[in-house]
Amino acid sequence: MSMPSLPTEATRRAALRWLSELRVAGVPRVQALFTHHPRYADLTPTQYAEGLAWLRRTGMVTAMGCPVVEISDSELRDMGTAAAGPQVQWSRAAEEARRAIGAAGEQALLRLLRWGGVPQVSHVAAESDAYGYDIGAARSLTERAHLEVKSTTDPTRLVIHLTRHEYEVMATDPEWCLAAVLVGRDGNAVNVATVNRRWLHSAVPADKAKEGRWESARLEVPVYAITPGLATGAWRLLPDTLLPSQPVWGLQGPVPLPV
């Protein structure tokens, strides 16, 4: 069965607006809003229709028009969508929203690991940020993973914020793994995937002078660097059948990790 392809930028913007407006109104009312209000005139009715169709194909909006994920106003501003006004680089509300989504993603992944029968699971981020990852998990002495969890409610693209400390831990810890979690409206995981370490190494900024260094990087992850499930090296922490998987972020089924 073919999976929905990566949406165009116009389809992505339309989908985000649908997710925002469907929180308070049904499909016919939102459709009328997009058609007649000048604030939304930068996209065509066809593009809005494609955005809604993509959300329905991926299961992000039910047949009754209810969103499965919820895009907050602060996230929309951070994404710089025209529907939400000018782009905001930082705000307290946006930071608090990101923290809440991050905490929800960590808790959702903890539940999946424990429900899936992983013998040893520890939420180290609850103790300290010094570890450079959020969750320690092990199936055996040789199958261990240190999971850095990046959470989002945006099904159209995967954007993560990586700190310098997390990157430096990744560079020295072979068990470090970046797990991406799409968080649903109920706080549970809608999708779990893994971001390739080689790509992360290639994507972070380079320090160009000894007087300055980057401390945090915002990275938009391409589909070829995303693998469905928890692909921790040559083995998987949980079987794919135990993990939720929606065709989001442009995923069209398993994508082999680059060698």
Side-chain angles (χ1 to χ4, degrees):
M1 181 177 67
S2 62
M3 294 293 187
S5 60
L6 182 68
T8 65
E9 179 62 21
T11 301
R12 190 190 75 82
R13 289 168 60 195
L16 290 173
R17 293 176 187 179
W18 277 108
L19 289 173
S20 177
E21 298 298 338
L22 284 174
R23 295 178 298 175
V24 295
V27 170
R29 184 176 175 184
V30 175
Q31 191 170 36
L33 177 69
F34 290 160
T35 302
H36 301 293
H37 199 293
R39 184 183 186 188
Y40 302 98
D42 59 319
L43 298 180
T44 67
T46 298
Q47 290 168 328
Y48 282 117
E50 290 172 349
L52 180 59
W54 183 85
L55 288 170
R56 282 175 164 162
R57 288 197 303 271
T58 58
M60 295 296 101
V61 168
T62 68
M64 299 299 292
C66 297
V68 174
V69 294
E70 182 172 4
I71 299 293
S72 68
D73 292 337
S74 60
E75 279 192 303
L76 282 168
R77 288 194 300 270
D78 189 50
M79 293 168 192
T81 60
Q87 185 173 11
V88 176
Q89 296 298 326
W90 184 91
S91 72
R92 187 175 300 278
E95 181 63 23
E96 290 176 353
R98 278 194 290 268
R99 288 182 181 275
I101 294 168
E106 290 175 22
Q107 291 298 325
L109 190 54
L110 284 166
R111 288 193 294 271
L112 284 171
L113 292 169
R114 289 163 177 160
W115 177 79
V118 177
Q120 299 179 29
V121 179
S122 56
H123 189 200
V124 300
E127 304 171 11
S128 172
D129 292 331
Y131 289 91
Y133 58 91
D134 300 307
I135 297 173
R139 299 193 64 87
S140 66
L141 290 176
T142 58
E143 294 180 331
R144 307 177 65 87
H146 296 154
L147 301 172
E148 172 59 30
V149 184
K150 299 299 181 184
S151 309
T152 181
T153 59
D154 182 358
T156 67
R157 64 177 179 179
L158 179 58
V159 177
I160 64 173
H161 293 80
L162 187 73
T163 69
R164 180 68 173 244
H165 180 54
E166 292 162 354
Y167 169 75
E168 290 178 343
V169 171
M170 176 186 72
T172 58
D173 181 358
E175 296 175 347
W176 192 96
C177 174
L178 196 151
V181 178
L182 180 64
V183 180
R185 296 186 70 180
D186 59 1
N188 289 318
V190 178
N191 187 284
V192 177
T194 308
V195 177
N196 183 256
R197 290 169 58 117
R198 289 180 182 270
W199 179 84
L200 287 170
H201 275 297
S202 68
V204 297
D207 295 331
K208 296 183 178 180
K210 64 180 181 180
E211 294 84 5
R213 51 178 264 158
W214 68 274
E215 292 295 335
S216 180
R218 178 187 180 277
L219 307 173
E220 183 167 348
V221 187
V223 63
Y224 64 80
I226 309 172
T227 299
L230 290 175
T232 54
W235 56 281
R236 291 182 178 263
L237 192 56
L238 281 176
D240 290 346
T241 54
L242 296 183
L243 290 169
S245 180
Q246 295 283 358
V248 296
W249 304 326
L251 295 175
Q252 301 184 43
V255 179
L257 283 170
V259 296

